[in-house]
Amino acid sequence: MNTPVDIVLVDDHAENLLALEAVLSSPDYRLISLKSGEDVLRYLMREDMQNVAVILLDVQMPGMNGFETAKLIKKRERTKDIPIIFITAINKSVDHVLQGYEAGSIDYLFKPFHPDLLKLKVEAFVQMHRFHRDQYDYLESLVRERTQELIIASEERVAWEKEMAKLDRLNLVGEMAAGIAHEIRNPMTTIRGFLQMAKKNKTMADEYIDIMLEELNRANGIITEFLSLAKNKATNFQTMSLNDIIASMEPLIQAEAMLSGMHLHVNYGSIAELAVDDKEIRQLLLNMAINGLEAMQPGGAFTISTYMEGAAVVLKLEDQGSGIKAEYLEKLGTPFFTTKEKGTGLGLAVCYSIAARHQADIELQSSDQGTVFAIKFKGA
């Protein structure tokens, strides 16, 4: 069953309002009778206009006439689309009628009006109003349904992403466990073999003891590097310049480069001081430098630069190696992933962990001309 729609009747004469009410009386309509243009404007400002199907507006009224009232109704966003039918008994001239249409009316009736004609006109506007209302309600229900579907889909996607992240973490743990087992088992196997020999022969040469100590040191180094990946590792932040840290490391890196027949270039830019852990940045710098030097052939150059990029301090490290293959880029920095024959894959993983603890971003560019790492420390 259709809910009653609102029809606004405006006339300064009570008898005219009674006549309109008598003609339009119906359980399908809720008639709102008002006596002036000012009254209708106040009503339209105060009430919900979504249920108003049509306004029947007298032209000749004291104070604000029908034309002035219609213009103001059409200026308001909430009421501009409500149909207006002018009712007049004074002037039937074409100019007068055109003035009514220009003011915003959609139809005209002259007094005395024919009751059946009035009812047919009003019913037509009521039907249009109900059609648009039903369409609006239908579209609104579609929006609600689609919104609910999107909410459900979003919740499912979040749950799926959490599950995938959990699986990724489990896969990473599995890979790391396999890597640790492989890297630690090698020196342990060596030591076990020598100890079995010693037990059998009751003697052990010093050179075998040296080999075992070297293997134990190697295993210890792997464990130490692995522990450096811990996110909750204690850090000692102090405000200083990256240039000072680089300067203290330059002789060591220069010596490593010369031993391999490489060249080292350092470009010290004018940069802001940062809160950093001196030991961790030294480790990051040394790991990156060794990786870069190992990636090059004799005669290559490794370049360290510092500069500002907006508020960020940038540490850039460039080598002239053959670059990193595209299929390896995604796994770069993953513990125990390495392309080196004797590498553990922990060096670069430690660098990424140090950068994360310093809230720095690592950007990478690689080609067959070399690789560039740009480590961007957020400014204070």
Side-chain angles (χ1 to χ4, degrees):
M1 188 177 193
N2 286 324
T3 57
V5 298
D6 294 345
I7 299 174
V8 177
L9 313 174
V10 188
D11 198 301
D12 60 311
H13 294 290
E15 62 273 19
N16 291 337
L17 289 174
L18 287 173
L20 291 170
E21 291 171 0
V23 173
L24 298 174
S25 178
S26 167
D28 294 332
Y29 304 156
R30 189 169 73 99
L31 305 177
I32 297 102
S33 298
L34 303 169
K35 294 185 177 181
S36 68
E38 291 82 359
D39 285 347
V40 72
L41 292 176
R42 280 192 289 269
Y43 178 84
L44 297 177
M45 291 179 66
R46 186 177 66 248
E47 301 294 331
D48 182 11
M49 294 298 99
Q50 291 186 354
N51 200 44
V52 176
V54 63
I55 299 173
L56 301 180
L57 183 59
D58 185 28
V59 174
Q60 298 296 329
M61 293 185 293
M64 186 182 298
N65 65 33
F67 295 152
E68 294 168 337
T69 303
K71 288 178 181 178
L72 291 174
I73 291 172
K74 293 299 178 181
K75 281 185 178 180
R76 296 188 71 239
E77 186 66 29
R78 292 175 57 224
T79 58
K80 67 179 183 179
D81 296 323
I82 300 175
I84 297 174
I85 299 176
F86 277 134
I87 300 178
T88 183
I90 304 299
N91 198 325
K92 299 182 181 180
S93 69
V94 174
D95 291 341
H96 192 77
V97 172
L98 289 175
Q99 186 180 355
Y101 284 120
E102 289 170 359
S105 76
I106 201 166
D107 206 347
Y108 234 104
L109 282 175
F110 299 101
K111 298 176 184 176
F113 52 80
H114 193 286
D116 292 335
L117 180 61
L118 175 62
K119 285 196 287 188
L120 288 172
K121 285 181 179 287
V122 168
E123 180 59 26
F125 288 118
V126 167
Q127 292 300 328
M128 284 191 291
H129 172 78
R130 283 181 172 151
F131 173 79
H132 290 302
R133 186 182 63 187
D134 292 344
Q135 289 291 97
Y136 176 83
D137 291 343
Y138 173 69
L139 292 174
E140 194 175 51
S141 67
L142 285 181
V143 170
R144 282 196 301 269
E145 289 175 10
R146 183 57 180 155
T147 301
Q148 188 61 32
E149 289 173 1
L150 291 173
I151 290 172
I152 294 171
S154 177
E155 291 172 349
E156 290 176 348
R157 180 177 59 81
V158 170
W160 179 80
E161 287 178 351
K162 286 182 179 178
E163 197 63 29
M164 290 300 296
K166 182 179 178 181
L167 290 173
D168 287 342
R169 287 194 296 272
L170 289 173
N171 288 336
L172 180 58
V173 169
E175 290 177 8
M176 290 171 66
I180 292 172
H182 175 74
E183 294 299 331
I184 300 297
R185 185 180 287 120
N186 286 341
M188 292 298 104
T189 301
T190 302
I191 295 168
R192 183 173 181 272
F194 282 122
L195 289 174
Q196 286 175 333
M197 288 173 57
K199 182 179 180 181
K200 182 178 180 180
N201 300 330
K202 307 299 183 183
T203 60
M204 181 172 288
D206 289 344
E207 62 179 302
Y208 294 156
I209 294 174
D210 291 338
I211 291 173
M212 285 194 294
L213 289 172
E214 184 180 333
E215 291 297 306
L216 284 171
N217 289 334
R218 180 185 167 202
N220 186 58
I222 292 169
I223 293 170
T224 301
E225 281 195 314
F226 183 71
L227 291 176
S228 296
L229 298 173
K231 288 184 178 179
N232 58 352
K233 183 178 180 291
T235 50
N236 180 27
F237 288 103
Q238 293 181 341
T239 301
M240 60 183 69
S241 173
L242 285 182
N243 287 343
D244 294 338
I245 300 174
I246 296 168
S248 68
M249 296 292 293
E250 186 176 351
L252 176 59
I253 299 172
Q254 184 71 265
E256 289 285 340
M258 289 179 65
L259 286 173
S260 305
M262 313 289 183
H263 304 284
L264 173 67
H265 302 302
V266 182
N267 303 315
Y268 294 101
S270 178
I271 57 174
E273 291 190 334
L274 293 168
V276 296
D277 185 308
D278 177 40
K279 290 182 180 179
E280 289 204 336
I281 299 300
R282 287 171 185 266
Q283 184 179 9
L284 179 147
L285 187 60
L286 185 59
N287 287 359
M288 288 282 199
I290 291 173
N291 281 349
L293 292 171
E294 290 179 348
M296 296 189 294
Q297 298 296 322
F302 185 76
T303 304
I304 302 172
S305 306
T306 57
Y307 57 91
M308 298 296 296
E309 189 175 280
V313 176
V314 183
L315 170 62
K316 186 165 74 171
L317 306 116
E318 305 173 71
D319 67 52
Q320 294 178 341
S322 57
I324 302 169
K325 293 182 179 180
E327 59 265 30
Y328 297 154
L329 292 176
E330 188 176 334
K331 291 187 176 181
L332 212 60
T334 302
F336 302 107
F337 172 77
T338 181
T339 58
K340 300 176 185 176
E341 187 176 343
K342 295 184 178 181
T344 63
L346 287 174
L348 197 54
V350 168
C351 293
Y352 273 86
S353 181
I354 291 171
R357 284 195 290 275
H358 284 76
Q359 297 184 343
D361 297 322
I362 297 181
E363 295 181 359
L364 168 65
Q365 292 182 340
S366 190
S367 69
D368 56 5
Q369 302 300 311
T371 300
V372 179
F373 283 91
I375 305 165
K376 298 184 178 181
F377 298 84
K378 297 179 176 65

